[in-house]
Amino acid sequence: MSSIGVLGAGTWGTALARMLCNSGHDVMVWSIIEEEVKVLSSERRHKNLPNSEIPEGIVFTNDLSEACRNRDILVFAVPSVYVRSTAASARPFIPDGQIIVDVAKGIEPDTLFTLSEVIRDEVRRDGKHDGIKVAALSGPTHAEEVALDLPSTIVSACEDISVAELIQDAFTNSCMRVYTNTDVRGVELCGALKNIIALASGISAGLGYGDNTKAALITRGLAEIERLGTAMGCAEQTFSGLAGIGDLIVTATSRHSRNNRCGYLIGQGYSPEDAVRQVGMVVEGINALPAAMRLAEKYSVDMPIIRVVDDIVKGNINASDAVALLMGREKKAELLKPVCNSDLEKTVLRNFTARGDQGMKRVITYGTFDLLHYGHINLLRRAKALGDYLIVVISSDEFNWNEKHKKCYFSYEQRKALVEAVRYVDLVIPEESWSQKRSDMHEYHIDTFVMGDDWKGKFDFLKEEGVEVVYLPRTPEISSSQIKKDLYDANAVDGESKVNHDEIDTDPGK
Ligand code: C2G
């Protein structure tokens, strides 16, 4: 069993703490509000969870260091607007390597960071926490129902699948079934933006509209979120999963949903401020609007429902005009994106015709490919030998810098040009996130995923996407970093015995 610190004694934090304690974990809950600590400690009930007793085993504290120290897992369950300040206050008590789970839902408006990114950014500020591992836990889980031990499911998301699985183990019990997903950004984006669709669904009900309108808002609302998510490099499947459609259904249709209730009051004619006051709890859908609008603009994604909700909350339009606005938009096709990009399709068909046999086997591999060398060529040659069409996904400069902390000698465009010139390579596309692999397998109809065996085991999860995963032996002794080192050393030697070139006779005639 684990020792778990839960930061935040709100409805969700308390419901999770109760579940974890009943599973046998050692749980301590921290709240910045001393009065809240006193009431919860003495009454052993949360005001929003009247039918759920808080187990005696849970200790409530106002001492942040006590809640953070010596914890196997630290859970951030504070409202989205307090995640950064809580991370800053907790940093001195968080050891490097700490596993942290964010369960709040939202996007930070000024940085556009998801909340796990906010925590990572804030805790690592002192340069002494590069080893922390931050995950997100998100899905169709009303706190009120989790607190009643009603069967629920949730997603544990982390790029590092071993961390996602460790959290899966800690939170799984007879009432909670946990699924893992490496697409953290997609899971968190769903969690934040579905609250806005829930507001829209509540507004619609408040205006007296029925289930047809609700179903339309849920379906088209998910389409908007998915469009934005895939533009941000998230995996398509995340949006049709528990953190996506699952959470959207439970939030947009349930009386438990504070976003839905707040929307209903707005539809009834209350101002957003009065509606939030009446709900009496944090309405994350309203907090998520500024970031959602900035993301839609940044990625040039059309998000009409979210835009309309933003206009209503800002008072630019009244709710009764909103639905007419949405219904009066230009006609659209539902399947907007070609199954595969046309250039690739033409190339595939050309190769298919050329070969004239049963079909083409498509192979994909990923890498930085800086200072292209024979180790890379060996990899590309063997990868191509596994099929008929080889796609090489080259890390963008931003991805290398932000995620791999690598500074390349050649820019992405230069590395792309070099790799495209290799006769084994058929197509080069950019790698912009760790999580794009899953959707790439489907977007490019991949049969075989290949990597050097220095990555052995890291991408086995792609087998779930129906592709063969192959790790090929690395070419020993050569690497981009080795080349840089050798050149540096050689230069250093040269510098000592550097000949004065003025003395060298450049006249070839002599
Ligand atoms: N490689 C190899 N032999 C070498 C060097 C590299 O077989 N001597 C292989 C690596 O195993 C990898 C590919 O060549 O499969 C590209 O190597 P890098 O550019 O170093 O790739 P890396 O930075 O590890 O990026 O999402 C995966 C990452 O993008 C991989």
Side-chain angles (χ1 to χ4, degrees):
M1 284 305 163
S2 305
S3 172
I4 301 176
V6 177
L7 307 186
T11 317
W12 188 215
T14 306
L16 277 177
R18 176 187 170 280
M19 179 190 83
L20 291 165
C21 183
N22 287 340
S23 302
H25 296 294
D26 162 33
V27 180
M28 180 176 283
V29 178
W30 168 82
S31 168
I32 200 165
I33 306 162
E34 284 190 49
E35 182 56 26
E36 188 171 51
V37 170
K38 281 197 194 97
V39 168
L40 289 168
S41 300
S42 55
E43 295 182 10
R44 309 309 293 183
R45 276 190 198 279
H46 189 286
K47 63 183 187 317
N48 298 329
L49 303 168
N51 303 318
S52 302
E53 192 168 333
I54 296 173
E56 287 306 321
I58 294 182
V59 175
F60 290 88
T61 180
N62 183 237
D63 178 343
L64 189 53
S65 64
E66 189 186 11
C68 293
R69 284 199 203 293
N70 305 320
R71 300 293 169 189
D72 299 308
I73 298 173
L74 208 46
V75 179
F76 272 64
V78 294
S80 62
V81 291
Y82 299 123
V83 166
R84 185 173 286 278
S85 56
T86 304
S89 308
R91 185 192 310 119
F93 319 119
I94 294 175
D96 194 13
Q98 175 72 61
I99 289 177
I100 301 173
V101 191
D102 169 65
V103 299
K105 297 175 179 177
I107 307 265
E108 191 172 58
D110 50 343
T111 60
L112 298 182
F113 282 177
T114 62
L115 297 182
S116 72
E117 290 168 347
V118 167
I119 294 168
R120 186 185 295 113
D121 177 63
E122 191 58 43
V123 175
R124 285 170 52 170
R125 264 179 201 272
D126 63 359
K128 300 173 190 154
H129 288 87
D130 285 352
I132 59 167
K133 301 196 184 313
V134 188
L137 198 64
S138 186
T141 47
H142 282 307
E144 295 79 354
E145 295 188 6
V146 169
L148 292 173
D149 297 325
L150 301 183
S152 302
T153 55
I154 201 164
V155 177
S156 162
C158 187
E159 276 103 347
D160 183 335
I161 191 71
S162 61
V163 172
E165 287 166 349
L166 185 147
I167 293 158
Q168 180 183 40
D169 292 343
F171 283 77
T172 294
N173 54 63
S174 56
C175 310
M176 180 65 78
R177 185 162 168 70
V178 184
Y179 291 78
T180 57
N181 186 333
T182 54
D183 177 19
V184 191
R185 175 174 284 191
V187 165
E188 292 192 279
L189 191 70
C190 287
L193 302 191
K194 57 90 189 172
N195 286 327
I196 302 173
I197 306 304
L199 276 173
S201 174
I203 292 170
S204 161
L207 288 167
Y209 293 108
D211 293 340
N212 296 358
T213 317
K214 183 184 295 184
L217 288 167
I218 291 172
T219 310
R220 295 309 300 165
L222 182 69
E224 290 185 14
I225 297 172
E226 183 176 334
R227 268 203 304 275
L228 176 62
T230 45
M232 292 171 65
C234 305
E236 277 182 40
Q237 297 88 326
T238 298
F239 301 92
S240 52
L242 291 167
I245 187 69
D247 202 357
L248 186 51
I249 290 169
V250 89
T251 310
T253 61
S254 166
R255 70 187 185 292
H256 290 306
S257 162
R258 54 188 88 166
N259 291 283
N260 202 6
R261 280 209 310 279
C262 180
Y264 184 85
L265 293 168
I266 293 172
Q268 289 273 301
Y270 287 82
S271 71
E273 297 71 25
D274 289 344
V276 170
R277 205 171 298 115
Q278 284 237 21
V279 166
M281 290 188 271
V282 172
V283 180
E284 293 288 13
I286 288 186
N287 294 341
L289 278 167
M293 297 309 294
R294 286 192 56 202
L295 283 170
E297 191 183 336
K298 177 178 177 185
Y299 289 92
S300 311
V301 171
D302 184 23
M303 304 187 86
I305 297 173
I306 286 178
R307 189 174 303 284
V308 155
V309 173
D310 188 54
D311 282 338
I312 292 171
V313 168
K314 283 177 181 164
N316 299 340
I317 56 169
N318 59 47
S320 53
D321 299 338
V323 180
L325 259 176
L326 289 171
M327 293 298 283
R329 296 179 65 245
E330 74 284 359
K331 297 183 189 66
K332 301 274 260 178
E334 191 164 47
L335 182 57
L336 298 177
K337 197 171 64 167
V339 172
C340 185
N341 77 44
S342 55
D343 296 346
L344 178 60
E345 206 53 56
K346 280 189 215 113
T347 310
V348 165
L349 288 174
R350 189 171 62 243
N351 282 288
F352 182 92
T353 315
R355 291 192 48 108
D357 58 14
Q358 295 76 22
M360 271 183 60
K361 214 175 155 193
R362 291 189 210 133
V363 182
I364 198 167
T365 189
Y366 293 72
T368 304
F369 296 98
D370 193 19
L371 297 177
L372 193 65
H373 54 65
Y374 62 87
H376 294 138
I377 301 302
N378 285 345
L379 187 284
L380 295 173
R381 186 187 68 255
R382 287 173 292 163
K384 181 58 177 285
L386 295 172
D388 307 290
Y389 189 90
L390 175 61
I391 298 174
V392 183
V393 192
I394 294 187
S395 311
S396 68
D397 295 325
E398 298 74 21
F399 179 61
N400 265 317
W401 182 245
N402 296 335
E403 297 300 327
K404 296 182 188 174
H405 315 302
K406 277 184 176 179
K407 180 95 180 72
C408 289
Y409 182 84
F410 286 125
S411 70
Y412 169 74
E413 289 307 326
Q414 291 163 336
R415 289 178 282 123
K416 178 173 184 281
L418 283 162
V419 170
E420 280 174 334
V422 175
R423 63 190 176 91
Y424 307 116
V425 176
D426 296 293
L427 179 71
V428 173
I429 58 173
E431 175 178 24
E432 291 163 320
S433 79
W434 289 114
S435 61
Q436 74 182 73
K437 292 183 175 69
R438 283 185 187 273
S439 51
D440 285 350
M441 299 306 122
H442 300 282
E443 176 126 18
Y444 294 95
H445 308 280
I446 299 304
D447 300 289
T448 304
F449 167 85
V450 173
M451 284 302 291
D453 61 7
D454 48 321
W455 291 91
K456 194 164 184 57
K458 288 288 185 198
F459 300 114
D460 289 345
F461 64 84
L462 290 172
K463 292 173 185 167
E464 296 164 21
E465 305 308 323
V467 304
E468 180 192 16
V469 175
V470 175
Y471 299 102
L472 298 171
R474 264 178 81 88
T475 303
E477 99 280 333
I478 182 72
S479 68
S480 312
S481 41
Q482 187 62 46
I483 293 171
K484 288 177 192 169
K485 183 181 176 310
D486 292 351
L487 288 174
Y488 177 82
D489 295 348
N491 191 33
V493 168
D494 261 1
E496 280 149 29
S497 60
K498 205 164 190 58
V499 175
N500 176 351
H501 285 285
D502 297 339
E503 293 163 2
I504 292 178
D505 193 328
T506 55
D507 177 353
K510 284 189 176 175

